[in-house]
Amino acid sequence: MHFEKPSKEKPCTQLTVKKLLEQKRKRETSSVPPSCSHPGLVPSAFTLSAGEPSNCPGGSNVDSNMAVSSQMWPPAEELLFTYPSPQPGPSYSTSYNMPVTTEYGTPSHFQTLGIAQPQQYESLGTDPGSSWSVLVEMDSSQNSVLSFNTPMDLNKLQEARMFINGMNDSRTTEQDDDGDTILHIYTAKGLRECAYAAAEKLSLLGKLDAKEHKGKTALLVAVAANNPEIVHDLLLLGADINACDVNGQTALHLAAHYGYNVVLQALLLSPANLEARNFEGMTPLHCAALSHCVTMKAIYAGGLSDARLQTATEKLACVNMLLDAGASLLSQEIKSNKTVLHLAVKEGNIDLVRFLLRNPLTNMKAFVNMKAHGHTVLHMAAGLHANPHQKEIMQLLLSQGADPSIRNLENDQAAHLLQSGPVGEQLKVLLKRRNTSSRRRVLSLQDPE
């Protein structure tokens, strides 16, 4: 007998939310040459295990055990989840599948959001010894002019409210196998009106901050998806800005790490814990500095481009926003006691070093002489062998009161950590001259009148 083989035709499937968001991110980053294997992930060369030498050319050779681990940061594609529609019932993924008309994070997002073009100021100096100089977009009062003001479509909002209000409470608050609510799904897809309607309902039911399987609330999903307007909406409706995921990352940590300056501005409109620590012991300011270092490392290694310049500018804007909001330059991350200045110097990030040293502090000398596991920033600068910015960084630190006589836990001064050869000898003279000058100044102060 002849039996017909069953049809193996695959059923028609729709794009998942993960795929939609991946496509969105590819459109936003298509012009940016990748600096690592995963977009949004700190390159592996930036993560050092105990005793492992740095893979970064010109990076600090001082105490690799002090390196800040970045393994906790998932790739961008892992932040953008797949949201299957719970069954039975209406499909969360397909209902009100409104096109997302606003693309954030692109160079044209100022025009898209109806923002006046900011004036550009070269805030990092024009020293001919510097290979690169990143522009920070500021207005004349040195305040960020980023904003977001795209209105919602009221007709779509009304339709979304009718749909959401037509669902019973248990259906609205239902979480699928990944812990996602209808609000997580709409937020990840960037459907602002649907997300707003769902958030209104969940807020009334006390479920606005429901967490999915990785501990992310809808607010954290909105931040990871780079949707500043949905972030703003959720905060207005009462979302917890200090909620953290399974890695201890708050909304500020995520926005700072990915350099989403428009999202960060939306977050900073609400009271937030600027000194919150993730499970790596870092504040949002540490995350912003670390992320800027990664981008500048790609620029130093691969050359300057408009896309990289835009990314570096946005990440430095995040550092500036956090400082303006009250984040402390003196904060030390818990694992190795590094300040953001230690991070910048250790990675040879001359632009960030200049920027940080221009911030007013009542006691700048104490700041530049703070220790991280025994090392001052001058010790770290002395370990920047083969880095083209080593001399300039050391000169900047010395001009702000860095003390060459301070010894680390191994009883070494900065001069003991310099490279051998002519360059090292020149830098030793620089340190010796500074040390002698400081000693003379101290003696003159001690002389009786």
Side-chain angles (χ1 to χ4, degrees), residues 348-359:
N349 188 346
I350 181 64
D351 293 279
L352 186 56
V353 171
R354 286 202 207 99
F355 179 80
L356 295 174
L357 292 179
R358 290 184 179 183
N359 281 270

Side-chain angles (χ1 to χ4, degrees), residues 419-438:
Q419 61 268 49
S420 58
V423 174
E425 292 302 319
Q426 291 176 9
L427 294 176
K428 282 182 182 179
V429 172
L430 177 68
L431 292 175
K432 184 177 180 180
R433 187 184 307 128
R434 178 68 183 184
N435 209 1
T436 303
S437 175
S438 299

